[in-house]
Amino acid sequence: CPCIQLKPHLHSLTNTRVTVSLFLSTPISAAHCAGIFAGNDIYIGGLKITGEDAPETILAETELLHPDYEDLILDNDIMLIKLNSPSKATPSIWNTVAAMPADQATTTTIGFGLISESGGCSDELLEVNIKVVPYETCQVASFEEINDNTMICASAPGKDSCYGDSGGPMFD
């Protein structure tokens, strides 16, 4: 999560940054990003990495990692962030169907991560459309083990999310 050197940001799906999602006024991010939120102000709703356009700033009190998070394999890589006060932002709308997107379904991910493997972070929120990849294909292409109960794999030719986009939403 290197692109959050400025200050942590938070965006709902409609106005989204590190890319964290807002669910029922509770920010959700990747557990491997733990340590950057608690005790810091989080900008909510802005589209610029500086937070200057964010309509709301709230102090993050604590980070609550999934109790079964495994940092070596990134299994259950999710955490909740407890805010000092409730956000006024509209919460994200989540999939109410308990199923993963179908293979080859187009999804969107957003973030302020690196804009290329050797580039810097984006100053503005970016989005990319990618397709869900079957687990078998992903397992062969990946250097890491993929847990099909807790992970999803998606990509597109010449497109991807990047380092610093961790914890951000994937939606359709």
Side-chain angles (χ1 to χ4, degrees), residues 23 26-29 31 62-66 78-82:
F23 179 68
T26 301
I28 300 172
S29 189
T62 57
E63 301 165 337
L64 305 164
L65 279 63
H66 190 289
I78 189 168
M79 75 172 161
L80 303 176
I81 303 165
K82 184 175 187 291

Side-chain angles (χ1 to χ4, degrees), residues 88-159:
K88 295 179 182 100
T90 302
S92 302
I93 297 170
W94 291 81
N95 181 5
T96 58
V97 178
M100 292 291 213
D103 290 346
Q104 298 303 312
T106 299
T107 61
T108 301
T109 186
I110 55 178
F112 290 88
L114 299 179
I115 55 176
S116 68
E117 287 186 34
S118 59
C121 298
S122 175
D123 293 332
E124 295 186 4
L125 184 68
L126 297 177
E127 70 177 65
V128 64
N129 293 322
I130 50 182
K131 291 189 181 273
V132 175
V133 176
Y135 284 103
E136 299 76 25
T137 304
C138 190
Q139 190 71 48
V140 170
S142 176
F143 295 106
E144 299 181 27
E145 186 171 331
I146 305 298
N147 181 338
D148 63 359
N149 292 316
T150 62
M151 299 177 181
I152 190 167
C153 195
S155 69
K159 297 178 181 182

Side-chain angles (χ1 to χ4, degrees), residues 8 10-11 27-28 32 37-38 60 71 74 102 115 129 133 156 159 163:
L10 165 76
H11 303 271
I28 300 172
H32 73 264
F37 297 103
D71 63 341
L74 299 180
I115 55 176
N129 293 322
V133 176
K159 297 178 181 182
Y163 196 54

